[in-house]
Amino acid sequence: MTELCSRKECTGCGACANICSHSCISMETDSEGFSYPVVDERKCVDCNLCRSTCPVLNKPSVRDRIFPEAYAALYRNKTVLKNSASGGMFRAFAEHWTGSIYGAFMNKDFTVCIKKADCKEDLKAMQGSKYVWSAMNDIYKQIKEELENGHQVLFFGLPCQTAAVRKYIKKDYTNLVCIDIVCHGAPSPELFKDYVAGIETRYGRIKSISFTDKTYKWVPIIEKYTKIITDRTEILRDYTEDPYMSMFIHGWSYRNSCYHCKFADAYRVGDITLGDFFGLGIRDKYTGNTDDGISQVIVNTQKGRDFFESLTNITAERRELKECLRGNRNLWKSSEETSVRSQLYKDYVEYGFQYIELKYYARFKKGLSTRIKYILRKRFPKLVAYLMLKKYEIDGSNERIEEIIKDMEQSLKKDY
Protein backbone atom coordinates (compact mmCIF):
# COMPACT_ATOMS: atom_id res chain seq x y z
CA MET A 1 0.00 0.00 0.00
CA THR A 2 1.22 3.51 -0.83
CA GLU A 3 2.13 5.40 2.34
CA LEU A 4 0.56 8.83 2.78
CA CYS A 5 2.19 11.71 4.66
CA SER A 6 2.53 11.48 8.44
CA ARG A 7 -0.35 12.50 10.73
CA LYS A 8 1.92 15.19 12.17
CA GLU A 9 2.10 16.87 8.75
CA CYS A 10 -1.29 15.97 7.23
CA THR A 11 -3.44 19.07 6.69
CA GLY A 12 -6.67 17.16 6.10
CA CYS A 13 -7.07 18.74 2.66
CA GLY A 14 -8.58 15.55 1.24
CA ALA A 15 -6.84 15.84 -2.13
CA CYS A 16 -5.74 12.20 -1.81
CA ALA A 17 -9.31 11.00 -1.26
CA ASN A 18 -10.57 13.06 -4.19
CA ILE A 19 -7.90 11.90 -6.65
CA CYS A 20 -8.26 8.19 -5.82
CA SER A 21 -9.94 6.53 -8.81
CA HIS A 22 -10.74 3.40 -6.79
CA SER A 23 -12.49 5.26 -3.94
CA CYS A 24 -10.35 3.49 -1.39
CA ILE A 25 -9.54 6.61 0.70
CA SER A 26 -12.06 8.20 3.05
CA MET A 27 -11.70 11.21 5.35
CA GLU A 28 -12.50 10.28 8.93
CA THR A 29 -12.64 12.44 12.04
CA ASP A 30 -10.38 11.62 14.99
CA SER A 31 -11.12 12.16 18.69
CA GLU A 32 -9.87 15.77 18.55
CA GLY A 33 -12.28 16.59 15.72
CA PHE A 34 -9.78 16.75 12.84
CA SER A 35 -10.15 14.81 9.57
CA TYR A 36 -7.49 12.39 8.32
CA PRO A 37 -7.39 10.02 5.34
CA VAL A 38 -8.00 6.34 5.98
CA VAL A 39 -7.06 3.81 3.27
CA ASP A 40 -9.05 0.65 2.57
CA GLU A 41 -6.14 -1.67 1.76
CA ARG A 42 -8.46 -4.21 0.11
CA LYS A 43 -9.22 -1.72 -2.67
CA CYS A 44 -5.80 -0.06 -2.98
CA VAL A 45 -3.88 -0.95 -6.16
CA ASP A 46 -0.75 1.06 -5.32
CA CYS A 47 -1.25 3.44 -8.26
CA ASN A 48 0.54 6.17 -6.26
CA LEU A 49 -1.91 8.88 -7.36
CA CYS A 50 -2.63 9.87 -3.76
CA ARG A 51 1.04 10.24 -2.91
CA SER A 52 1.87 12.25 -6.05
CA THR A 53 -1.10 14.57 -5.37
CA CYS A 54 -0.35 15.18 -1.70
CA PRO A 55 0.80 18.84 -1.39
CA VAL A 56 2.79 18.05 1.77
CA LEU A 57 4.87 15.39 0.02
CA ASN A 58 5.09 17.40 -3.21
CA LYS A 59 4.85 21.15 -2.75
CA PRO A 60 3.49 22.59 -6.01
CA SER A 61 5.64 24.75 -8.22
CA VAL A 62 4.28 28.20 -9.05
CA ARG A 63 5.06 29.59 -12.49
CA ASP A 64 5.99 33.15 -13.49
CA ARG A 65 7.18 34.19 -10.05
CA ILE A 66 8.22 37.78 -9.52
CA PHE A 67 9.99 39.26 -6.52
CA PRO A 68 7.05 39.74 -4.12
CA GLU A 69 5.45 43.17 -4.29
CA ALA A 70 3.89 44.28 -1.00
CA TYR A 71 1.01 46.73 -0.58
CA ALA A 72 -1.12 48.24 2.16
CA ALA A 73 -4.55 48.20 0.54
CA LEU A 74 -8.23 48.73 1.26
CA TYR A 75 -11.52 48.65 -0.57
CA ARG A 76 -13.10 52.09 -0.74
CA ASN A 77 -16.62 50.76 -0.16
CA LYS A 78 -17.22 51.82 3.48
CA THR A 79 -20.06 49.34 4.08
CA VAL A 80 -17.98 46.40 2.88
CA LEU A 81 -14.96 47.64 4.81
CA LYS A 82 -16.90 47.77 8.07
CA ASN A 83 -17.90 44.11 7.76
CA SER A 84 -14.51 42.82 6.63
CA ALA A 85 -11.67 41.33 8.68
CA SER A 86 -9.19 44.04 7.67
CA GLY A 87 -9.17 46.11 4.46
CA GLY A 88 -12.06 44.49 2.59
CA MET A 89 -9.79 43.17 -0.14
CA PHE A 90 -11.60 39.85 -0.42
CA ARG A 91 -14.65 41.70 -1.73
CA ALA A 92 -12.50 44.00 -3.86
CA PHE A 93 -11.04 40.94 -5.60
CA ALA A 94 -14.32 39.02 -5.74
CA GLU A 95 -16.49 41.84 -7.09
CA HIS A 96 -13.97 42.59 -9.84
CA TRP A 97 -13.88 38.93 -10.94
CA THR A 98 -16.07 37.84 -13.85
CA GLY A 99 -16.02 34.08 -13.24
CA SER A 100 -16.53 31.54 -10.46
CA ILE A 101 -15.37 32.29 -6.90
CA TYR A 102 -14.49 29.74 -4.21
CA GLY A 103 -13.89 30.58 -0.56
CA ALA A 104 -14.61 29.71 3.08
CA PHE A 105 -18.33 29.64 3.95
CA MET A 106 -19.89 29.22 7.40
CA ASN A 107 -23.02 27.08 7.23
CA LYS A 108 -26.13 27.49 9.36
CA ASP A 109 -24.87 24.79 11.73
CA PHE A 110 -21.60 26.79 12.09
CA THR A 111 -19.48 24.25 10.26
CA VAL A 112 -17.09 25.82 7.75
CA CYS A 113 -16.31 24.54 4.27
CA ILE A 114 -14.82 25.77 1.00
CA LYS A 115 -17.58 26.23 -1.56
CA LYS A 116 -18.50 28.12 -4.70
CA ALA A 117 -20.31 31.44 -4.28
CA ASP A 118 -23.71 31.12 -5.94
CA CYS A 119 -24.87 34.69 -5.29
CA LYS A 120 -23.81 38.03 -3.80
CA GLU A 121 -25.12 36.97 -0.38
CA ASP A 122 -22.57 34.13 -0.43
CA LEU A 123 -19.79 36.70 -0.93
CA LYS A 124 -20.96 38.50 2.21
CA ALA A 125 -20.88 35.20 4.10
CA MET A 126 -17.35 34.53 2.85
CA GLN A 127 -16.10 37.85 4.26
CA GLY A 128 -14.23 37.85 7.55
CA SER A 129 -11.92 35.33 9.17
CA LYS A 130 -13.48 32.08 10.41
CA TYR A 131 -10.67 30.83 12.73
CA VAL A 132 -11.64 27.17 12.43
CA TRP A 133 -10.51 24.31 10.19
CA SER A 134 -12.59 24.23 6.99
CA ALA A 135 -13.44 21.17 4.92
CA MET A 136 -12.62 21.06 1.20
CA ASN A 137 -15.01 18.15 0.54
CA ASP A 138 -15.24 17.44 -3.22
CA ILE A 139 -14.70 20.94 -4.65
CA TYR A 140 -11.51 19.79 -6.42
CA LYS A 141 -13.44 18.02 -9.16
CA GLN A 142 -15.76 21.01 -9.53
CA ILE A 143 -12.84 23.45 -9.91
CA LYS A 144 -11.00 21.25 -12.41
CA GLU A 145 -14.13 20.74 -14.51
CA GLU A 146 -14.73 24.49 -14.65
CA LEU A 147 -11.14 25.18 -15.65
CA GLU A 148 -11.19 22.54 -18.39
CA ASN A 149 -14.41 24.06 -19.73
CA GLY A 150 -12.67 27.44 -20.02
CA HIS A 151 -14.39 29.13 -17.07
CA GLN A 152 -12.53 31.74 -15.02
CA VAL A 153 -11.91 30.56 -11.43
CA LEU A 154 -10.80 32.65 -8.43
CA PHE A 155 -9.83 30.56 -5.41
CA PHE A 156 -9.39 31.89 -1.86
CA GLY A 157 -8.00 29.48 0.73
CA LEU A 158 -5.44 28.76 3.38
CA PRO A 159 -1.95 28.06 2.00
CA CYS A 160 -2.33 24.29 2.49
CA GLN A 161 -5.69 24.35 0.67
CA THR A 162 -4.30 26.47 -2.16
CA ALA A 163 -1.40 24.05 -2.54
CA ALA A 164 -3.84 21.13 -2.58
CA VAL A 165 -5.87 22.69 -5.41
CA ARG A 166 -2.71 23.26 -7.45
CA LYS A 167 -1.53 19.67 -6.94
CA TYR A 168 -4.95 18.18 -7.77
CA ILE A 169 -5.47 20.06 -11.04
CA LYS A 170 -1.82 19.36 -12.06
CA LYS A 171 -1.71 22.14 -14.67
CA ASP A 172 -1.12 25.89 -14.23
CA TYR A 173 -4.28 27.09 -15.94
CA THR A 174 -4.25 30.65 -17.25
CA ASN A 175 -7.90 31.00 -16.19
CA LEU A 176 -7.14 30.27 -12.51
CA VAL A 177 -6.02 32.85 -9.95
CA CYS A 178 -5.21 31.59 -6.45
CA ILE A 179 -5.17 33.85 -3.39
CA ASP A 180 -3.74 32.30 -0.25
CA ILE A 181 -4.64 33.69 3.17
CA VAL A 182 -1.96 34.21 5.81
CA CYS A 183 -2.69 31.58 8.46
CA HIS A 184 -1.67 31.15 12.11
CA GLY A 185 -3.36 27.78 12.48
CA ALA A 186 -6.76 26.07 12.36
CA PRO A 187 -8.62 24.86 15.49
CA SER A 188 -10.80 21.76 15.58
CA PRO A 189 -14.35 22.01 14.13
CA GLU A 190 -15.58 19.90 17.07
CA LEU A 191 -13.99 22.32 19.53
CA PHE A 192 -15.74 25.18 17.76
CA LYS A 193 -19.05 23.30 17.71
CA ASP A 194 -18.88 22.75 21.48
CA TYR A 195 -17.97 26.41 22.02
CA VAL A 196 -21.06 27.42 20.01
CA ALA A 197 -23.22 24.98 21.99
CA GLY A 198 -22.00 26.54 25.25
CA ILE A 199 -22.85 30.04 24.03
CA GLU A 200 -26.35 28.95 23.00
CA THR A 201 -26.96 27.24 26.36
CA ARG A 202 -26.13 30.46 28.21
CA TYR A 203 -27.36 33.19 25.88
CA GLY A 204 -29.86 31.74 23.40
CA ARG A 205 -29.76 30.63 19.77
CA ILE A 206 -26.95 32.27 17.83
CA LYS A 207 -28.07 34.32 14.82
CA SER A 208 -24.62 35.51 13.76
CA ILE A 209 -21.01 35.37 14.90
CA SER A 210 -18.00 37.44 13.86
CA PHE A 211 -14.44 37.18 15.16
CA THR A 212 -13.33 40.45 13.52
CA ASP A 213 -15.91 42.99 14.62
CA LYS A 214 -15.01 46.66 14.10
CA THR A 215 -17.16 48.35 16.71
CA TYR A 216 -13.91 49.79 17.99
CA LYS A 217 -11.40 51.28 15.57
CA TRP A 218 -8.72 49.11 14.01
CA VAL A 219 -5.29 49.64 15.62
CA PRO A 220 -1.72 48.63 14.69
CA ILE A 221 -1.79 45.53 16.90
CA ILE A 222 -5.08 44.47 15.26
CA GLU A 223 -7.46 43.79 18.12
CA LYS A 224 -9.70 40.77 17.55
CA TYR A 225 -13.20 41.47 18.85
CA THR A 226 -15.79 38.71 18.85
CA LYS A 227 -19.39 39.79 18.27
CA ILE A 228 -22.17 37.27 18.81
CA ILE A 229 -25.83 38.10 18.26
CA THR A 230 -28.35 35.67 19.73
CA ASP A 231 -32.13 35.73 19.89
CA ARG A 232 -31.81 37.09 23.45
CA THR A 233 -28.76 39.35 23.57
CA GLU A 234 -25.67 40.78 21.89
CA ILE A 235 -22.16 39.89 23.09
CA LEU A 236 -19.02 41.88 22.26
CA ARG A 237 -15.65 40.95 23.73
CA ASP A 238 -11.96 40.94 22.90
CA TYR A 239 -9.87 37.77 22.86
CA THR A 240 -8.99 37.94 26.57
CA GLU A 241 -12.72 37.80 27.31
CA ASP A 242 -13.54 34.92 24.95
CA PRO A 243 -12.34 31.35 25.68
CA TYR A 244 -12.27 30.14 22.07
CA MET A 245 -10.36 33.14 20.72
CA SER A 246 -8.01 33.12 23.69
CA MET A 247 -7.04 29.53 22.89
CA PHE A 248 -6.63 30.50 19.24
CA ILE A 249 -4.49 33.60 19.81
CA HIS A 250 -2.17 31.68 22.14
CA GLY A 251 -1.76 28.82 19.67
CA TRP A 252 -3.22 26.18 22.00
CA SER A 253 -5.88 24.72 19.70
CA TYR A 254 -4.45 24.23 16.20
CA ARG A 255 -4.26 21.11 14.10
CA ASN A 256 -0.91 19.30 14.57
CA SER A 257 0.22 20.12 11.04
CA CYS A 258 -0.10 23.85 11.73
CA TYR A 259 2.99 23.66 13.94
CA HIS A 260 4.91 21.93 11.11
CA CYS A 261 3.41 23.82 8.18
CA LYS A 262 5.15 23.30 4.84
CA PHE A 263 3.43 26.39 3.42
CA ALA A 264 4.37 29.03 6.01
CA ASP A 265 7.07 30.01 3.55
CA ALA A 266 8.05 33.27 1.84
CA TYR A 267 7.75 31.34 -1.45
CA ARG A 268 3.95 31.49 -1.38
CA VAL A 269 1.68 29.06 -3.23
CA GLY A 270 -0.81 31.77 -4.20
CA ASP A 271 -0.57 34.25 -7.06
CA ILE A 272 -1.48 36.76 -4.36
CA THR A 273 -1.20 36.53 -0.57
CA LEU A 274 -3.76 38.31 1.60
CA GLY A 275 -3.73 39.08 5.32
CA ASP A 276 -3.95 41.68 8.11
CA PHE A 277 -1.22 44.32 8.03
CA PHE A 278 0.11 44.02 11.56
CA GLY A 279 2.35 46.89 12.69
CA LEU A 280 1.76 49.07 9.63
CA GLY A 281 3.34 52.49 10.16
CA ILE A 282 5.05 51.58 13.43
CA ARG A 283 8.60 51.37 12.07
CA ASP A 284 8.08 52.69 8.53
CA LYS A 285 5.91 55.79 8.17
CA TYR A 286 2.40 55.36 6.79
CA THR A 287 0.22 58.43 6.23
CA GLY A 288 -3.07 56.70 5.39
CA ASN A 289 -5.97 56.12 7.77
CA THR A 290 -6.10 52.62 9.28
CA ASP A 291 -9.08 53.15 11.64
CA ASP A 292 -11.40 51.01 9.50
CA GLY A 293 -8.83 48.33 8.73
CA ILE A 294 -6.22 47.72 6.09
CA SER A 295 -5.05 44.61 4.26
CA GLN A 296 -1.60 43.33 3.54
CA VAL A 297 -1.44 42.29 -0.12
CA ILE A 298 1.62 40.50 -1.49
CA VAL A 299 1.76 39.89 -5.24
CA ASN A 300 3.81 36.77 -6.04
CA THR A 301 3.38 36.12 -9.78
CA GLN A 302 2.93 38.02 -13.02
CA LYS A 303 -0.64 36.68 -13.21
CA GLY A 304 -1.29 38.02 -9.72
CA ARG A 305 0.24 41.38 -10.64
CA ASP A 306 -1.97 41.69 -13.74
CA PHE A 307 -5.10 40.96 -11.70
CA PHE A 308 -4.17 43.27 -8.83
CA GLU A 309 -3.35 46.15 -11.16
CA SER A 310 -6.72 45.73 -12.88
CA LEU A 311 -8.65 46.40 -9.65
CA THR A 312 -10.73 49.55 -9.33
CA ASN A 313 -12.15 51.27 -6.25
CA ILE A 314 -9.20 50.41 -4.01
CA THR A 315 -6.54 52.48 -2.30
CA ALA A 316 -3.11 50.84 -2.34
CA GLU A 317 0.34 51.97 -1.25
CA ARG A 318 3.51 50.07 -2.07
CA ARG A 319 5.43 48.88 1.02
CA GLU A 320 8.70 47.09 1.68
CA LEU A 321 8.39 43.29 1.78
CA LYS A 322 10.46 43.18 4.98
CA GLU A 323 7.81 45.27 6.75
CA CYS A 324 5.29 42.49 6.04
CA LEU A 325 7.71 39.73 7.06
CA ARG A 326 8.59 41.55 10.30
CA GLY A 327 4.99 42.04 11.37
CA ASN A 328 3.59 38.67 10.32
CA ARG A 329 6.00 35.81 10.92
CA ASN A 330 3.52 33.22 9.62
CA LEU A 331 4.53 34.47 6.18
CA TRP A 332 7.79 32.58 6.63
CA LYS A 333 7.52 30.27 9.66
CA SER A 334 4.99 28.02 11.36
CA SER A 335 3.32 28.90 14.62
CA GLU A 336 5.24 27.48 17.55
CA GLU A 337 3.66 24.57 19.38
CA THR A 338 3.17 25.35 23.05
CA SER A 339 3.42 22.88 25.90
CA VAL A 340 -0.28 23.48 26.52
CA ARG A 341 -1.56 22.14 23.18
CA SER A 342 -1.19 18.39 23.74
CA GLN A 343 -2.63 18.37 27.25
CA LEU A 344 -5.47 20.71 26.30
CA TYR A 345 -6.74 18.30 23.66
CA LYS A 346 -6.31 15.30 25.96
CA ASP A 347 -8.47 17.09 28.51
CA TYR A 348 -10.96 18.13 25.83
CA VAL A 349 -11.37 14.57 24.55
CA GLU A 350 -11.83 13.20 28.06
CA TYR A 351 -13.82 15.95 29.77
CA GLY A 352 -15.24 18.31 27.13
CA PHE A 353 -15.09 22.00 26.30
CA GLN A 354 -16.48 23.36 29.57
CA TYR A 355 -13.66 21.65 31.48
CA ILE A 356 -10.86 23.13 29.36
CA GLU A 357 -12.56 26.52 29.46
CA LEU A 358 -12.29 26.47 33.25
CA LYS A 359 -8.84 24.88 33.41
CA TYR A 360 -7.03 26.92 30.76
CA TYR A 361 -9.01 30.04 29.95
CA ALA A 362 -10.39 31.03 33.36
CA ARG A 363 -6.96 30.72 34.96
CA PHE A 364 -5.36 32.75 32.16
CA LYS A 365 -8.03 35.46 32.35
CA LYS A 366 -7.46 36.05 36.08
CA GLY A 367 -3.68 36.37 35.75
CA LEU A 368 -2.10 39.70 36.70
CA SER A 369 0.02 39.83 33.53
CA THR A 370 -3.11 39.35 31.42
CA ARG A 371 -4.80 42.32 33.06
CA ILE A 372 -1.73 44.53 32.73
CA LYS A 373 -1.31 43.64 29.04
CA TYR A 374 -5.02 44.32 28.50
CA ILE A 375 -4.70 47.86 29.91
CA LEU A 376 -1.57 48.55 27.85
CA ARG A 377 -3.18 47.30 24.63
CA LYS A 378 -6.23 49.50 25.12
CA ARG A 379 -4.41 52.68 26.13
CA PHE A 380 -1.13 52.45 24.24
CA PRO A 381 -1.66 50.26 21.14
CA LYS A 382 1.18 51.81 19.12
CA LEU A 383 3.63 51.32 21.96
CA VAL A 384 2.57 47.68 22.37
CA ALA A 385 2.95 47.08 18.62
CA TYR A 386 6.41 48.68 18.69
CA LEU A 387 7.50 46.52 21.64
CA MET A 388 6.23 43.38 19.92
CA LEU A 389 8.23 44.19 16.79
CA LYS A 390 11.25 44.96 18.98
CA LYS A 391 10.89 41.56 20.62
CA TYR A 392 10.98 39.92 17.18
CA GLU A 393 14.24 41.76 16.46
CA ILE A 394 15.82 40.46 19.65
CA ASP A 395 14.96 36.83 18.83
CA GLY A 396 16.80 37.05 15.52
CA SER A 397 13.84 37.49 13.17
CA ASN A 398 15.36 40.47 11.37
CA GLU A 399 18.50 38.54 10.47
CA ARG A 400 16.41 35.64 9.20
CA ILE A 401 14.26 38.00 7.13
CA GLU A 402 17.33 39.52 5.48
CA GLU A 403 18.48 35.98 4.59
CA ILE A 404 15.07 35.15 3.12
CA ILE A 405 15.01 38.27 0.94
CA LYS A 406 18.56 37.68 -0.30
CA ASP A 407 17.73 34.06 -1.10
CA MET A 408 14.63 35.08 -3.05
CA GLU A 409 16.57 37.67 -5.05
CA GLN A 410 19.24 35.12 -5.97
CA SER A 411 16.68 32.43 -6.77
CA LEU A 412 14.79 34.70 -9.18
CA LYS A 413 18.03 35.70 -10.92
CA LYS A 414 18.74 32.01 -11.58
CA ASP A 415 15.28 31.53 -13.05
CA TYR A 416 15.90 34.29 -15.54
Side-chain angles (χ1 to χ4, degrees):
M1 184 196 77
T2 302
E3 184 182 352
L4 300 176
C5 73
S6 68
R7 284 178 67 89
K8 183 177 77 172
E9 295 179 323
C10 176
T11 67
C13 70
C16 56
N18 276 265
I19 203 71
C20 181
S21 57
H22 291 80
S23 301
C24 66
I25 303 177
S26 58
M27 300 300 294
E28 298 185 10
T29 304
D30 72 353
S31 58
E32 293 181 350
F34 294 110
S35 294
Y36 290 90
V38 175
V39 180
D40 184 342
E41 296 185 36
R42 297 167 300 175
K43 296 181 181 178
C44 181
V45 296
D46 288 325
C47 67
N48 209 37
L49 262 178
C50 54
R51 187 176 177 84
S52 64
T53 303
C54 174
V56 173
L57 296 176
N58 310 274
K59 186 175 177 180
S61 59
V62 179
R63 292 182 58 197
D64 298 325
R65 282 194 182 277
I66 60 173
F67 185 81
E69 298 173 351
Y71 296 87
L74 59 87
Y75 193 22
R76 291 199 292 264
N77 183 315
K78 287 285 187 180
T79 303
V80 170
L81 192 57
K82 183 181 178 182
N83 295 304
S84 299
S86 48
M89 289 303 294
F90 165 80
R91 285 289 292 275
F93 285 120
E95 292 187 359
H96 189 71
W97 191 252
T98 56
S100 300
I101 299 165
Y102 291 81
F105 185 90
M106 186 173 283
N107 299 302
K108 290 182 179 180
D109 63 355
F110 299 103
T111 57
V112 179
C113 66
I114 301 293
K115 62 166 279 185
K116 179 181 176 180
D118 294 320
C119 59
K120 199 162 186 176
E121 287 303 309
D122 283 351
L123 293 183
K124 291 180 182 178
M126 288 175 177
Q127 280 179 244
S129 301
K130 308 300 187 291
Y131 299 128
V132 63
W133 183 86
S134 52
M136 295 284 278
N137 298 325
D138 60 354
I139 61 106
Y140 297 100
K141 298 180 179 72
Q142 191 176 356
I143 290 173
K144 187 167 185 178
E145 184 177 337
E146 289 210 66
L147 292 171
E148 289 180 342
N149 288 332
H151 299 160
Q152 302 287 317
V153 174
L154 179 62
F155 178 82
F156 292 88
L158 301 181
C160 56
Q161 296 170 332
T162 306
V165 168
R166 287 199 185 279
K167 288 304 297 183
Y168 181 90
I169 64 175
K170 307 296 184 187
K171 177 181 169 185
D172 189 9
Y173 288 84
T174 57
N175 49 328
L176 169 69
V177 172
C178 291
I179 300 180
D180 71 278
I181 313 299
V182 181
C183 176
H184 303 290
S188 158
E190 288 298 312
L191 192 77
F192 182 62
K193 185 176 79 172
D194 289 347
Y195 160 76
V196 166
I199 294 288
E200 294 194 321
T201 298
R202 297 173 201 170
Y203 302 105
R205 186 179 64 83
I206 294 176
K207 297 167 73 175
S208 67
I209 183 167
S210 168
F211 290 118
T212 51
D213 182 77
K214 291 180 179 174
T215 297
Y216 299 102
K217 73 177 184 179
W218 216 72
V219 295
I221 48 175
I222 309 174
E223 295 279 14
K224 298 291 186 184
Y225 279 92
T226 300
K227 186 174 186 177
I228 302 170
I229 298 175
T230 76
D231 55 9
R232 296 207 305 256
T233 189
E234 185 175 298
I235 305 163
L236 180 65
R237 51 198 183 189
D238 91 335
Y239 81 87
T240 63
E241 301 162 327
D242 184 273
Y244 183 82
M245 280 303 291
S246 178
M247 293 175 197
F248 173 85
I249 293 292
H250 286 90
W252 297 342
S253 56
Y254 305 157
R255 186 183 180 96
N256 268 318
S257 60
C258 299
Y259 307 106
H260 313 278
C261 182
K262 300 286 188 182
F263 313 104
D265 183 355
Y267 292 91
R268 308 300 295 180
V269 289
D271 297 293
I272 296 171
T273 298
L274 185 60
D276 298 330
F277 210 132
F278 172 82
L280 175 65
I282 296 300
R283 298 289 304 275
D284 305 289
K285 189 176 181 181
Y286 179 73
T287 57
N289 189 325
T290 63
D291 287 356
D292 295 321
I294 197 153
S295 297
Q296 180 183 94
V297 177
I298 302 175
V299 178
N300 305 303
T301 67
Q302 183 59 49
K303 188 197 297 184
R305 176 195 275 164
D306 292 342
F307 181 42
F308 183 69
E309 290 180 348
S310 73
L311 295 182
T312 57
N313 204 24
I314 69 165
T315 298
E317 181 179 304
R318 186 75 179 266
R319 307 295 292 180
E320 289 289 331
L321 178 63
K322 66 176 65 177
E323 183 181 20
C324 301
L325 300 177
R326 275 201 307 256
N328 198 331
R329 297 195 293 178
N330 287 116
L331 282 168
W332 52 276
K333 65 179 292 189
S334 301
S335 293
E336 294 181 10
E337 185 170 7
T338 69
S339 58
V340 173
R341 194 274 176 203
S342 179
Q343 189 59 48
L344 181 144
Y345 269 106
K346 285 180 182 177
D347 288 338
Y348 169 65
V349 170
E350 189 167 356
Y351 304 112
F353 186 83
Q354 189 173 3
Y355 177 85
I356 63 169
E357 181 180 353
L358 291 171
K359 180 176 177 180
Y360 297 93
Y361 166 68
R363 187 184 303 169
F364 154 79
K365 183 181 177 181
K366 293 176 182 177
L368 178 62
S369 65
T370 300
R371 285 178 282 172
I372 292 172
K373 288 176 183 177
Y374 178 88
I375 293 170
L376 289 174
R377 284 191 296 109
K378 301 304 175 187
R379 294 187 180 178
F380 311 104
K382 288 188 176 180
L383 173 62
V384 172
Y386 174 80
L387 292 174
M388 290 175 73
L389 290 175
K390 199 69 180 173
K391 180 185 174 185
Y392 295 163
E393 284 183 28
I394 294 170
D395 73 6
S397 289
N398 279 8
E399 290 82 355
R400 178 62 188 132
I401 287 168
E402 293 293 342
E403 291 173 4
I404 289 169
I405 290 174
K406 188 177 294 184
D407 179 73
M408 295 182 81
E409 289 172 338
Q410 293 174 347
S411 177
L412 284 166
K413 283 179 183 177
K414 290 177 184 176
D415 290 343
Y416 295 100

